[in-house]
Amino acid sequence: MNQENAVLDRYTEGANQRQESLCCPVDYQTELLKILPQEIIEKDYGCGDPSRYVREGDVVLDLGSGSGKICYMAAQLVGDKGKVIGVDMNNDMLALARKYQPEMTNKLGSDRVQFKKGKIQDLALDIDAMEQRLASNPITDANALAAFDAWKHQQCTQEPLIADDSIDLVVSNCVLNLVNDVEKQQLVDEIFRVVKPGGRIAISDIVSDESIPEHLKENKELWSGCISGAFQELEMLKMFHDAGFIAVTYDKWSDTPWQIVEGIEFRSVTLTAIKREQTECIDKGHAAIYRGPFSFAIDDEGYEFPRGQRMAICERTFNVLNNEPYKDSFICIAPAIEQDAKEWCSPAGTLRPAKETKGSLHSVNTSSSACC
Ligand SMILES: C[S@@+](CC[C@H](N)C(=O)[O-])C[C@H]1O[C@@H](n2cnc3c(N)ncnc32)[C@H](O)[C@@H]1O
């Protein structure tokens, strides 16, 4: 079975006629649906709501944008300073999403949504540009093929569909499972490439509780129906962590499986993570205290935080721990006196003596601001 062709056929049908079997009930923020055309709401093949993670001013990329629903929801949240890009490989889905662009531009008050043709496992290749090139320069012999390869390389490096480090938030709704297993690593690496340092991802997808046997992966209906291509639940976390993301979290986890096939539970989850800032790790005298409730915590960079201990951290880690999703778990303490930056970071496990931070600012959050 050619999995990509199965996916193309299934979503061509889905763009033209609502497919009940592809619809997984999702609790969207209803106020964002109010201005959406009915056809977009009906042809919803998502399994979660990554639009909840969008912030004002964000540049958002939606992988496998389908009818454009998440893009048009996100567009309301980014405001007129933000931007939303949807990428999909299916002509009919792109046509459906683009059909409503003038109407949505009018309702939103600006043209802040774009739909691009591409494969999400190769976000450098602009397929519209490639098809134009092929139409004007058909490949008829080996020389033409070599010229095409050179053009493609230049296009991907000089004018990538999505540039390196250009996106504040990558979202996706029930699409990553549709990418061939052999291309899933490349897919995760591509997501990492395009996110800005400090940027975020929110991926709603289907995971399985056990490994999926080959005969289920060979089943066209199950593959294109967002079931047998699912990540195994641990494998998904691990792939994003190994690609370089930190704070990798299952922020949403559906207790009830969406489908059970041969005893394997398939459920909807939303994975969130951050791309670490690329700044150097330099000790300027910051500290963090892990509040608990566990006896210690280890972050994705391997630093250990025993509960209640005032640990030495670099400024970069301070900025990470002082923000979502960590900030409620840590008391982050700025240096009392701005120290000369040391050329190194204190080794993991270094304590910060209280006298070095006495009198300095502690991060204020809901649990630490109460005064007794
Ligand atoms: C299950 S639908 C989800 C659509 C949309 N995200 C939603 O919430 O309704 C999957 C979409 O991803 C697209 N898709 C699947 N594999 C893709 C790939 N490798 N590259 C780009 N788009 C892909 C399909 O064409 C389809 O529009």
Side-chain angles (χ1 to χ4, degrees), residues 42-54:
E42 279 169 12
K43 292 175 179 166
D44 167 21
Y45 305 127
C47 59
D49 181 11
S51 74
R52 290 178 186 273
Y53 300 86
V54 175

Side-chain angles (χ1 to χ4, degrees), residues 4 7-8 11-12 22 28 40 43-48 62-70 87-90 93 118-121 172-175 177-180 183 224 226:
E4 190 170 295
V7 171
L8 276 169
Y11 292 97
T12 296
L22 292 174
Y28 292 111
I40 288 186
K43 292 175 179 166
D44 167 21
Y45 305 127
C47 59
D62 181 17
L63 304 177
S65 42
S67 67
K69 181 193 66 252
I70 295 292
V87 170
D88 206 289
M89 66 174 183
N90 184 298
M93 279 294 184
K119 291 189 190 175
I120 61 172
Q121 62 273 40
S172 184
N173 198 359
C174 217
V175 184
N177 67 82
L178 296 169
V179 173
N180 295 342
E183 291 179 308
S224 62
C226 295

Side-chain angles (χ1 to χ4, degrees), residues 75-265:
Q76 297 169 61
L77 298 166
V78 298
D80 55 9
K81 295 202 170 54
K83 190 168 109 176
V84 182
I85 306 160
V87 170
D88 206 289
M89 66 174 183
N90 184 298
N91 287 334
D92 293 64
M93 279 294 184
L94 286 165
L96 168 61
R98 286 171 177 158
K99 180 167 95 179
Y100 291 103
Q101 253 183 303
E103 177 182 332
M104 289 305 297
T105 298
N106 214 8
K107 287 177 175 168
L108 290 163
S110 71
D111 186 11
R112 60 185 87 144
V113 185
Q114 262 181 299
F115 294 99
K116 299 188 179 195
K117 187 170 180 184
K119 291 189 190 175
I120 61 172
Q121 62 273 40
D122 184 1
L123 290 167
L125 182 61
D126 180 337
I127 296 185
D128 276 333
M130 182 174 76
E131 287 176 343
Q132 276 173 27
R133 156 90 197 184
L134 286 170
S136 52
N137 300 274
I139 300 174
T140 49
D141 57 24
N143 287 346
L145 179 61
F148 172 74
D149 285 343
W151 173 88
K152 190 173 154 193
H153 177 73
Q154 162 131 2
Q155 177 75 17
C156 290
T157 47
Q158 309 294 311
E159 288 177 63
L161 184 73
I162 309 292
D164 295 3
D165 301 337
S166 60
I167 305 293
D168 294 300
L169 174 68
V170 170
V171 295
S172 184
N173 198 359
C174 217
V175 184
L176 272 51
N177 67 82
L178 296 169
V179 173
N180 295 342
D181 285 353
V182 289
E183 291 179 308
K184 280 196 170 82
Q185 183 63 56
Q186 182 186 324
L187 162 68
V188 175
D189 292 343
E190 273 294 85
I191 297 175
F192 189 79
R193 176 181 71 77
V194 301
V195 180
K196 287 179 187 170
R200 296 112 57 215
I201 63 171
I203 310 288
S204 298
D205 221 293
I206 301 292
V207 294
S208 63
D209 62 348
E210 295 182 66
S211 300
I212 303 164
E214 218 35 54
H215 72 275
L216 295 185
K217 289 184 184 284
E218 281 301 314
N219 180 314
K220 203 170 153 181
E221 284 291 298
L222 290 178
W223 184 279
S224 62
C226 295
I227 298 173
S228 56
F231 286 97
Q232 194 275 337
E233 61 197 32
L234 173 60
E235 176 201 28
M236 186 176 189
L237 285 176
K238 198 169 164 339
M239 273 183 119
F240 280 90
H241 174 256
D242 291 352
F245 286 101
I246 59 169
V248 184
T249 305
Y250 278 135
D251 196 48
K252 296 270 184 288
W253 176 275
S254 165
D255 294 339
T256 319
W258 177 49
Q259 305 275 347
I260 302 177
V261 182
E262 297 187 3
I264 303 174
E265 293 188 355

